[in-house]
């Protein structure tokens, strides 16, 4: 079987230059235009980029960073937003001819990059049992196959329904309604691999799994900590907000093992001083932390703050807030007093002076925000780390006041909205009860499977139908060999997709690919042109309306695809009005307004200029819907990640030229890598100590001590060593090439999120 390792490009052509100290600037503008023109041509480029993130346009399919309320710029997009649009709005297509030419086996030997570059999927296609090529199929016949396979299962729990985070609110709401009407809560989603740790930690500590700040809060903060996040690449529009915050006097501290370009300097391509000159410095301080050291950092800082309070009582702690709004303070204080600062220094790799400086910044700030992303969530102790970040804010009363709070920066553009709409394997009873009342159905109550547990269920043949609403499950999940074998165990795999990817080729006995419209595409149904809605990282809900003519009349909207499957599966007389929902999305929104809290008057509110914000009790009124009815201080034993001799701690991250598993190109401009992706960033000292030279090629072997105490090894071959300013003992390489190294069992405590940011590896010389 062809393997993902068989990359057709030659890694000897990789060119490494010095990594960049600033993000954006002129090259960013040029790259966005080039990508647009080569994929879409001049007219579509102009038409689509003009509508990106505008009130009457579509929501950027890139990240979930909000638009700046009130003063949107004409071009509210960034280089990577433009790439996301070019990727989707491309004029290239893959239709029946393409699949007649290329067998599944042939396509399996191609890279994700090559697959994605072939163009938009245009026809529903099927791979029938025992055949070698996908062939066209009518929509009705595809829906019949799905209905028959689902109906043949011994139990609804033998089906798995995945969701990626671009799915609109309307499609997500109908999709979970279909799944629950069918009888299961097996709804793994990309969030399981992403911000699940944030959701777990925030729900336990403040009673809601979402961030508590808005864009104006960030602009008006005194102090912003940015931990485990690379906004220059993954949330470029955040840099404009940070620049504004800085010009209002904020201090920004970046906490990252890597000196990421955007964290250090930012050249705003939409401003003159960004185009010429050095741009604006974003970070005042850069704490180059060791991988997995953040929990120690937050506990160490808390200890220093407590010491300062002891020295000058009444100057550091926000006693009125603590007494009135929090629980568990005394036990926490007792624990924090016992934290050992030497351990903190070892765990973080920072100096005691850096810790004191940062503590002083926290003491001086009257409005502190902590932002974070995957560097914190994808860790074994990710949930505890985020709880510690919350502790640090709670002790100073930094939740529920302007310019202060928690800011988990979300990934996919509607991943937060999908959760709000019920895409979760353990939605609360209140939601299920409201859903049942609205539709006269009985939703299952037993919790379903998340991403990791779904893989196990397929591996052990407890599940055999896999349906994906977007995404690239085979590549995005850990332990690639196991995941692929699990998918191959299925009797049916169905992928609702815009672009070709690896998940289409790692299939069940029968496989379907259903081509869907994307954000940029015009969506016309029986009652006319439709729009959908999305929720951004800061709980703002707004419209998204595509304007480009779809590349094929055979594509359907995600809403239409869900309704089509449901109609065939449930037959006539089902209590849910699928046909009406499909013809008029306002009707879906009316139903949502009666089921989901905060969406009352949805159709009216979403037609307001800026959309509307969802309630957030801690932010709005310092109300905490936790078990104690208060914000909880959490006590966690300190965990960190010492690196044994001869080994490296590997984090797997994104290059500047990819969107998750979609590879836009082979250059990581900010890190100085061109023409290839199989690189391993390692500190010069480690390269030397381990007996290598910069530019050598190595194989990566991960070492995992399993439950029975023996060491399992996994391999990913042929990476070029790149000397890079990462902490000693820490390495970095791109995802998804490194996913075969991540054991399925290596998950975060409580959130079950794969630990993609701390994989213990050793290197082997290539023969
Ligand atoms: N262009 C583009 N935009 C995207 C995406 C994309 O792939 N491309 N993906 C989207 C999605 S789904 C998501 S979730 C977000 C991801 O956004 P990020 O979380 O920014 O993405 P990663 O590349 O995983 O980067 C993780 C960062 O954490 C740092 N890090 C790693 N380990 C640690 C640690 O132990 N401690 C600390 N403090 N830092 C650490 C890494 O050096 C890196 O800077 O971006 C979204 N936006
Ligand atoms: N090692 C490692 N693994 C990781 C991560 C990591 O940092 N390291 N990050 C994790 C994270 S944060 C995430 S979010 C996951 C991402 O996991 P996924 O969301 O599953 O993966 P994507 O690569 O975003 O999915 C891309 C595919 O989505 C389809 N698509 C794009 N737009 C649309 C649309 O509008 N509709 C439909 N129906 N389909 C569409 C296209 O066919 C495209 O090929 O990966 C996780 N995996
Ligand atoms: Mo994500």
């Amino acid at each position: 079987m062809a393997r993902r390792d068989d990359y057709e490009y030659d890694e000897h052509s990789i060119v490494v230059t010095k990594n960049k100290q600033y993000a954006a600037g002129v090259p960013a503008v040029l790259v966005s235009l080039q990508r647009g023109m080569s994929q879409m041509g001049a007219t579509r480029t102009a038409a689509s980029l003009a509508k990106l993130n505008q009130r009457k346009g579509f929501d950027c399919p890139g990240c979930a960073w909000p638009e700046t309320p009130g003063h949107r710029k004409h071009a509210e997009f960034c280089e990577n937003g433009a790439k996301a649009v070019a990727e989707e709005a491309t004029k290239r297509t893959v239709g029946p001819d393409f699949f007649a030419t290329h067998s599944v086996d042939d396509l399996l030997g191609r890279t994700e990059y090559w697959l994605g570059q072939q163009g938009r999927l245009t026809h529903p296609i099927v791979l029938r049992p025992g055949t070698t090529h996908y062939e066209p199929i009518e929509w009705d016949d595809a829906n019949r196959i799905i209905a028959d396979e689902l109906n043949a299962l011994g139990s609804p729990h033998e089906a798995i329904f995945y969701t990626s985070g671009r799915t609109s609110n309307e499609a997500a709401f109908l999709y979970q309604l279909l799944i629950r009407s069918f009888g299961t809560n097996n709804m793994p989603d990309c969030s399981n691999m992403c911000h699940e740790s944030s959701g777990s930690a925030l729900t336990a500590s403040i009673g809601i799994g979402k961030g508590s700040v808005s864009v104006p809060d960030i602009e008006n903060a005194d102090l912003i900590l940015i931990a485990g996040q690379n906004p220059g690449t993954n949330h470029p529009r955040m840099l404009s907000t940070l620049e504004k915050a800085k010009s209002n006097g904020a201090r920004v501290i970046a906490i990252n093992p890597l000196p990421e370009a955007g964290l250090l300097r930012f050249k705003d391509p939409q401003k003159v001083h960004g185009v010429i000159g050095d741009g604006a410095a974003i970070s005042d301080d850069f704490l180059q932390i060791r991988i997995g050291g953040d929990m120690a950092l937050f506990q160490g800082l808390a200890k220093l703050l407590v010491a300062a309070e002891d020295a000058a009582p009444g100057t550091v702690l926000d006693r009125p807030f603590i007494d009135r709004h929090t629980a568990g303070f005394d036990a926490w204080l007792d624990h924090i007093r016992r934290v050992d600062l030497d351990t903190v220094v070892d765990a973080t790799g920072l100096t005691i002076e850096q810790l004191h400086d940062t503590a002083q910044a926290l003491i001086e700030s009257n409005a502190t925000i902590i932002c974070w992303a995957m560097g914190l969530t994808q860790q074994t102790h990710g949930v505890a780390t985020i709880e510690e970040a919350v502790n640090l804010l709670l002790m100073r009363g930094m939740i529920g006041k302007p310019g202060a709070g928690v800011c988990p920066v979300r990934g996919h553009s509607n991943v937060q909205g999908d959760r709000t709409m019920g895409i979760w394997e353990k939605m609360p009873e209140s939601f299920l009860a409201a859903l049942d009342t609205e539709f006269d159905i009985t939703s299952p109550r037993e919790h379903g499977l998340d991403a990791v547990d779904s893989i196990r269920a397929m591996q052990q043949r407890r599940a055999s139908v896999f349906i994906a609403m977007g995404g690239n499950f085979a590549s995005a999940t850990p332990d690639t060999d196991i995941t692929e074998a699990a998918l191959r165990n299925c009797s049916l795999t169905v992928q609702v997709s815009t672009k070709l990817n690896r998940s289409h080729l790692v299939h069940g006995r029968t496989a379907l690919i259903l081509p869907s419209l994307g954000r940029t595409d015009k969506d016309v149904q029986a009652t006319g042109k439709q729009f959908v809605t999305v929720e951004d990282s800061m709980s703002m809900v707004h419209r998204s309306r595509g304007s480009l003519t779809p590349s094929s009349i055979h594509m359907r909207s995600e809403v239409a695809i869900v309704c089509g499957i449901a109609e065939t599966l449930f037959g006539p007389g089902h209590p849910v009005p699928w046909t009406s929902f499909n013809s008029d999305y306002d009707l879906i929104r009316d139903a949502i307004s009666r089921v989901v809290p905060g969406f009352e008057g949805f159709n009216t509110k979403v037609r307001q200029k800026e959309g509307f914000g969802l309630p957030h009790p801690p932010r709005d009124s310092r109300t905490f819907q936790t078990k104690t009815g208060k914000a909880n201080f959490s006590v966690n034993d300190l965990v960190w990640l010492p690196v044994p001799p001869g080994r490296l701690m590997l984090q797997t991250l994104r290059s500047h030229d990819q969107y998750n598993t979609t590879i836009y190109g082979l250059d990581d401009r900010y890190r100085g890598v061109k023409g290839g992706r199989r690189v391993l960033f390692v500190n010069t000292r480690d390269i030397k100590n381990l007996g290598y030279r910069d530019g050598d090629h190595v194989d990566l072997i991960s070492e995992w001590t399993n439950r029975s105490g023996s060491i399992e090894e996994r391999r990913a071959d042929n990476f070029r060593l790149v000397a890079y300013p990462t902490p000693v003992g820490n390495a970095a390489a791109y995802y998804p090439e490194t996913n075969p190294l991540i054991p399925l069992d290596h998950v975060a405590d409580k959130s079950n999120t794969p630990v993609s940011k701390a994989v213990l590896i050793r290197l082997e010389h290539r023969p």
Side-chain angles (χ1 to χ4, degrees):
M1 191 199 314
R3 284 288 321 248
R4 62 174 53 238
D5 294 350
D6 305 335
Y7 278 175
E8 78 273 16
Y9 62 81
D10 172 12
E11 21 341 84
H12 292 279
S13 66
I14 294 177
V15 178
V16 179
T17 54
K18 199 170 174 305
N19 58 306
K20 296 273 185 300
Q21 300 293 311
Y22 61 84
V26 175
V29 179
L30 292 178
V31 170
S32 10
L33 290 177
Q34 270 161 15
R35 291 296 163 84
M37 300 285 277
S38 72
Q39 294 269 2
M40 305 185 273
T43 325
R44 269 167 98 86
T45 304
S48 57
L49 294 187
K51 291 256 165 79
L52 184 50
N53 284 338
Q54 298 302 308
R55 268 176 219 119
K56 290 191 175 151
F58 57 89
D59 181 63
C60 180
C63 73
W65 190 257
E67 283 74 55
T68 315
H71 34 83
R72 279 181 222 208
K73 293 174 184 163
H74 275 306
E76 183 78 30
F77 67 91
C78 65
E79 173 190 352
N80 277 346
K83 287 185 201 164
V85 169
E87 188 76 19
E88 180 180 299
T90 179
K91 287 205 287 198
R92 300 175 199 157
T93 55
V94 280
D97 289 352
F98 175 89
F99 290 100
T101 314
H102 296 280
S103 70
V104 171
D105 242 15
D106 163 9
L107 296 174
L108 261 176
R110 312 290 180 149
T111 63
E112 280 299 353
Y113 176 50
W114 188 92
L115 294 172
Q117 289 300 306
Q118 303 314 302
R120 282 287 293 269
L121 294 156
T122 56
H123 282 66
I125 50 178
V126 62
L127 184 70
R128 297 188 190 276
T131 60
T132 52
H133 290 68
Y134 274 101
E135 53 190 79
I137 182 172
E138 294 298 322
W139 278 100
D140 286 350
D141 297 331
N143 290 337
R144 177 49 44 212
I145 291 178
I146 298 171
D148 287 348
E149 289 276 355
L150 286 173
N151 285 328
L153 294 174
S155 140
H157 304 306
E158 291 169 25
I160 287 166
F161 299 86
Y162 178 66
T163 313
S164 172
R166 275 194 195 168
T167 296
S168 66
N169 289 331
E170 290 74 7
F173 184 77
L174 291 190
Y175 187 47
Q176 63 83 34
L177 180 59
L178 177 155
I179 300 163
R180 295 198 162 100
S181 301
F182 176 63
T184 183
N185 283 311
N186 286 348
M187 280 176 239
D189 69 345
C190 67
S191 197
N192 296 146
M193 298 175 270
C194 185
H195 266 292
E196 200 66 59
S197 300
S198 309
S200 302
L202 293 177
T203 305
S205 56
I206 63 166
I208 177 168
K210 299 181 181 184
S212 73
V213 301
S214 62
V215 169
D217 283 325
I218 300 206
E219 289 175 350
N220 294 304
D222 286 346
L223 175 66
I224 303 166
L225 306 188
I226 303 176
Q229 199 206 336
N230 178 20
T233 286
N234 297 314
H235 306 91
R237 284 178 299 116
M238 181 177 175
L239 298 183
S240 310
T241 312
L242 290 173
E243 203 191 4
K244 184 85 188 290
K246 288 219 45 113
S247 66
N248 291 341
R251 177 164 173 185
V252 177
I253 302 182
I255 305 167
N256 202 302
L258 304 181
E260 303 283 32
L263 286 174
L264 303 184
R265 281 195 170 273
F266 168 49
K267 293 190 177 189
D268 187 342
Q270 294 168 355
K271 283 199 191 141
V272 177
H273 81 82
V275 176
I276 42 178
D278 283 344
I282 292 288
S283 300
D284 300 271
D285 305 279
F286 169 45
L287 302 183
Q288 186 162 29
I289 197 162
R290 288 211 177 109
I291 290 175
D294 306 83
M295 182 180 177
L297 173 66
F298 295 143
Q299 289 200 356
L301 292 172
K303 177 166 179 123
L304 294 176
L305 264 64
V306 167
E309 169 76 11
D310 289 344
T315 58
V316 178
L317 295 178
D318 184 342
R319 270 290 177 183
F321 177 85
I322 294 171
D323 294 343
R324 181 143 179 232
H325 294 295
T326 70
F329 177 71
D330 292 338
W332 173 77
L333 188 64
D334 191 46
H335 171 74
I336 285 300
R337 286 190 194 286
R338 281 184 281 113
V339 169
D340 171 31
L341 285 178
D342 290 336
T343 310
V344 174
V345 166
D346 287 345
T348 58
L350 303 173
T351 63
I352 195 80
E353 289 75 29
Q354 286 176 305
L355 297 176
H356 278 288
D357 281 356
T358 311
Q360 193 55 37
L362 284 159
I363 291 170
E364 284 165 14
S365 162
N366 288 316
T368 303
I369 290 174
I370 304 185
C371 303
W372 71 87
M374 298 304 101
L376 261 50
T377 63
Q378 298 172 337
Q379 298 282 358
T380 320
H381 50 290
V383 176
T385 301
I386 294 157
E387 287 175 352
E388 295 298 343
V390 175
N391 289 340
L392 203 52
L393 294 171
L394 291 180
M395 71 188 292
R396 300 263 304 130
M398 293 294 172
I399 292 219
K401 73 173 199 180
V406 285
C407 183
V409 184
R410 293 279 169 170
H412 266 299
S413 49
N414 198 39
V415 60
Q416 186 161 316
D418 291 345
R419 270 295 161 88
T420 308
M421 290 299 119
I423 302 288
W424 195 24
E425 69 277 2
K426 42 188 180 197
M427 279 309 275
E429 175 58 30
S430 54
F431 178 93
L432 300 177
L435 193 69
D436 290 359
T437 307
E438 171 71 18
F439 294 108
D440 198 18
I441 59 169
T442 309
S443 298
R445 265 31 183 200
E446 104 193 49
H447 288 176
L449 302 170
D450 65 8
V452 164
D453 289 339
S454 293
I455 296 169
R456 284 207 188 91
M458 291 185 279
Q459 186 191 20
Q460 297 161 3
R461 299 183 190 273
R462 286 181 281 117
S464 60
V465 171
F466 177 86
I467 300 180
M469 185 57 66
N472 184 359
F473 192 82
S475 283
T477 48
D479 231 342
T480 312
D481 291 341
I482 288 183
T483 298
E484 294 196 349
L487 286 165
R488 291 182 191 285
N489 281 346
C490 288
S491 58
L492 175 70
T493 47
V494 181
Q495 303 285 341
V496 177
S497 310
T498 52
K499 303 288 291 277
L500 188 60
N501 64 45
R502 177 101 186 158
S503 296
H504 301 122
L505 312 171
V506 182
H507 54 82
R509 196 169 57 232
T510 303
L512 288 164
I513 305 178
L514 306 178
S516 100
L517 298 180
R519 288 279 167 80
T520 53
D521 297 312
K522 205 186 292 169
D523 182 355
V524 184
Q525 303 294 342
T527 60
K529 259 202 245 169
Q530 308 294 317
F531 67 86
V532 292
T533 62
V534 293
E535 175 185 342
D536 67 31
S537 199
M538 295 181 180
S539 306
M540 294 296 298
V541 180
H542 57 86
R543 279 177 290 182
S544 174
R545 191 196 329 248
S547 53
L548 301 179
T549 305
S551 357
S552 146
I553 53 161
H554 303 289
M555 294 171 171
R556 286 189 178 175
S557 74
E558 291 182 343
V559 165
I561 294 172
V562 172
C563 292
I565 296 172
E567 280 168 336
T568 317
L569 178 63
F570 302 126
H574 193 258
V576 178
W578 299 105
T579 315
S580 321
F581 280 162
N582 190 8
S583 54
D584 183 356
Y585 296 2
D586 271 354
L587 299 177
I588 311 173
R589 284 184 285 270
D590 282 340
I592 294 172
S593 73
R594 292 185 291 266
V595 173
V596 188
F599 284 82
E600 302 76 16
F602 192 2
N603 270 310
T604 315
K605 284 197 285 187
V606 83
R607 285 176 163 84
Q608 296 162 4
K609 241 168 147 190
E610 305 283 355
F612 63 100
L614 292 173
H616 191 289
R619 179 197 64 204
D620 303 337
S621 59
R622 293 191 156 175
T623 309
F624 301 95
Q625 294 163 349
T626 60
K627 286 201 185 110
T628 58
K630 305 213 162 177
N632 292 314
F633 278 93
S634 329
V635 174
N636 297 295
D637 288 333
L638 182 52
V639 184
W640 61 290
L641 306 173
V643 184
R647 304 292 183 275
L648 294 169
M649 195 58 75
L650 171 74
Q651 60 147 322
T652 64
L653 42 47
R654 295 155 172 79
S655 86
H656 191 64
D657 226 359
Q658 72 183 86
Y659 192 91
N660 298 339
T661 69
T662 300
I663 311 302
Y664 300 142
L666 303 177
D667 302 341
D668 193 355
R669 203 169 75 245
Y670 293 163
R671 299 199 185 100
V673 172
K674 270 193 147 170
R677 293 179 44 88
R678 294 185 87 80
V679 291
L680 182 73
F681 299 101
V682 188
N683 187 288
T684 316
R685 260 169 59 195
D686 284 320
I687 295 187
K688 187 158 167 269
N689 291 347
L690 295 170
Y692 297 95
R693 277 184 309 202
D694 184 24
D696 280 356
H697 285 253
V698 295
D699 295 341
L700 316 185
I701 294 99
S702 70
E703 299 177 347
W704 168 246
T705 311
N706 64 23
R707 282 192 205 106
S708 54
S710 48
I711 294 183
E712 292 175 10
E713 296 198 339
R714 291 169 172 76
R715 302 182 70 92
D717 291 342
N718 204 6
F719 286 73
R720 181 203 192 276
L721 290 179
V722 176
Y724 203 78
T726 174
V728 170
N730 289 177
Y734 302 132
Y735 125 79
E737 286 80 354
T738 43
N739 287 41
L741 295 171
I742 305 170
L744 193 60
D745 287 341
H746 192 15
V747 290
D749 298 335
K750 294 189 190 156
S751 65
N752 217 27
T753 294
V755 178
S756 305
K757 294 291 188 277
V759 189
L760 191 66
I761 58 164
R762 67 165 201 276
L763 311 183
E764 273 181 13
H765 276 284
R766 294 233 7 121

